[in-house]
Amino acid sequence: MQYIEHGNGGDAAVMHLAEAEMPVLRSGEVLIEVHYAGVNRPDVLQRAGSYPPPEGASKILGLEVAGIIVDKAPDVTQWEIGNRVCALTPGGGYATHCACPAVHCLPIPDGFSLLEAAALPENYFTVWTNVFERGRLKQGETLLVHGGSSGIGLTALQMAKEFGADVIVTVGSAEKAAFCKKMGADLAINYRESDFVDAVKAHMKGRDKRGVDVILDMVGGDYINKNIQLLAQEGRLVQIAFMQKSVTQIDAMPIMIKRLTFTGSTLRPRTIAEKAAIAKALQTTLWHVLAEGHCKPVIAKVFPLADAVAAHQLMESSAHIGKIMLQVKQD
């Protein structure tokens, strides 16, 4: 098979096409002929050498794919060879073939192309478990999403609106703010032009609310204290990444006074069973919503697999809106 090799790590230019033997299937796994793969921030971190894969996972980049099952372990009964699936992978997505636990595969939603389906797993697994399970977002509440025009941000925006929540996003340009408003955001704040704390407070005061209920943050650093300041009574702050630093000094008194929850999670190190439970919840709760056309992934740009360098450079520029994808198999 062909795959993207990144050696011992470095800048995007270290990546190049290479050849390797097909993955050897373990118990419970399927082999997917990859048609499309998603590009995600953890891929960039792994390529740079700062985010090693968990023990036993493929060292090849790539955490989500869509394609066709071409082989399966003898104990796999829920899928057949020839089934079209999208999947959250433990690694190995930047390749023509990828081995994946069968329980991490999901059917392609009705009306979705393989390209659109490949943009689902990483974002939907992440948003579901953090915003709805850990953050406990409910109808009528307000969600604040930092990085609202990212793949994660736009997924959280669409899902939260679908479930009846108000959504505020922060973004880094007027273009991104306008796009998020078009996608349904109740307020989109360009943090380069406005202090998001002041903007959120003014918005909430206009709605007779004393704060936001859930915050999804991938920035960290000095955002943490600002997030705590903005949370309403019984509010929940959910941390999923640190684009700034993870170590900062905070005033913890509001956590006690407002009875706040400060939580967070990572997805990749979770067990096969834990990820399988998320997949089951998504199929039960959200897959029919996707099939009805209520939520659609926003595709920023599609690169051929051989152009993974350019895909990572775009990711690192933060100039994109939505998902960056790799086309692995020519249609």
Side-chain angles (χ1 to χ4, degrees):
M1 70 173 188
Q2 287 190 311
Y3 74 102
I4 294 295
E5 170 65 53
H6 67 286
N8 294 321
D11 64 21
V14 302
M15 295 187 293
H16 58 90
L17 273 178
E19 291 191 354
E21 297 295 324
M22 287 282 193
V24 176
L25 292 181
R26 304 169 186 169
S27 174
E29 289 188 336
V30 296
L31 182 66
I32 300 171
E33 177 190 71
V34 179
H35 288 227
Y36 293 92
V39 177
N40 294 284
R41 292 277 177 188
D43 303 340
V44 173
L45 296 175
Q46 182 180 333
R47 182 218 74 216
S50 59
Y51 188 43
E55 185 177 352
S58 171
K59 292 181 172 56
I60 298 172
L61 303 173
L63 300 176
E64 60 183 345
V65 302
I68 298 172
I69 294 176
V70 293
D71 197 6
K72 63 177 187 172
D75 58 342
V76 172
T77 58
Q78 66 268 55
W79 299 107
E80 299 296 335
I81 292 173
N83 286 160
R84 300 164 75 248
V85 296
C86 58
L88 186 77
T89 69
Y94 290 18
T96 57
H97 295 80
C98 178
C100 175
V103 289
H104 296 172
C105 296
L106 286 159
I108 307 297
D110 291 345
F112 271 57
S113 66
L114 286 173
L115 170 61
E116 292 169 323
L120 297 175
E122 178 73 11
N123 286 349
Y124 275 78
F125 275 69
T126 298
V127 171
W128 177 258
T129 189
N130 286 289
V131 173
F132 293 93
E133 292 185 338
R134 305 193 72 79
R136 308 186 304 281
L137 182 68
K138 299 186 288 292
Q139 183 177 359
E141 291 190 324
T142 300
L143 169 69
L144 169 60
V145 182
H146 294 298
S149 62
S150 66
I152 291 285
L154 289 169
T155 300
L157 165 57
Q158 291 185 78
M159 287 172 63
K161 294 301 293 184
E162 183 65 28
F163 281 87
D166 292 331
V167 182
I168 302 169
V169 301
T170 64
V171 294
S173 73
E175 178 191 9
K176 291 178 177 180
F179 189 89
C180 289
K181 287 286 288 184
K182 182 180 176 182
M183 295 297 292
D186 297 276
L187 176 66
I189 304 163
N190 180 354
Y191 62 80
R192 300 185 192 278
E193 295 181 349
S194 305
D195 182 288
F196 76 81
V197 173
D198 292 341
V200 171
K201 284 183 175 180
H203 179 78
M204 300 309 291
K205 185 177 181 181
R207 297 195 171 200
D208 295 323
K209 292 190 69 172
R210 299 189 64 181
V212 299
D213 301 291
V214 181
I215 299 176
L216 182 67
D217 185 33
M218 55 192 81
V219 181
D222 62 6
Y223 273 43
I224 296 175
N225 271 312
K226 294 177 180 180
N227 289 333
I228 290 172
Q229 183 181 348
L230 288 172
L231 284 169
Q233 204 85 357
E234 303 284 357
R236 290 83 75 193
L237 169 57
V238 188
Q239 199 77 41
I240 59 169
F242 295 100
M243 296 185 71
Q244 293 184 12
K245 58 188 177 181
S246 62
V247 178
T248 192
Q249 187 172 3
I250 69 169
D251 178 3
M253 185 62 73
I255 295 177
M256 292 195 305
I257 293 174
K258 295 193 286 185
R259 301 187 297 278
L260 306 180
T261 298
F262 185 2
T263 184
S265 72
T266 55
L267 181 60
R268 194 175 189 187
R270 292 194 181 194
T271 66
I272 290 175
E274 287 170 336
K275 294 176 188 176
I278 300 171
K280 185 176 181 180
L282 286 173
Q283 188 168 356
T284 301
T285 308
L286 275 167
W287 245 231
H288 71 280
V289 174
L290 296 174
E292 291 164 4
H294 293 185
C295 295
K296 278 277 191 178
V298 176
I299 308 297
K301 192 167 183 178
V302 183
F303 294 87
L305 180 64
D307 288 346
V309 170
H312 274 222
Q313 289 170 338
L314 178 58
M315 172 68 76
E316 291 175 300
S317 77
S318 294
H320 60 291
I321 296 175
K323 290 285 294 186
I324 300 169
M325 307 298 296
L326 295 173
Q327 183 173 11
V328 180
K329 184 176 175 63
Q330 297 298 318
D331 292 333

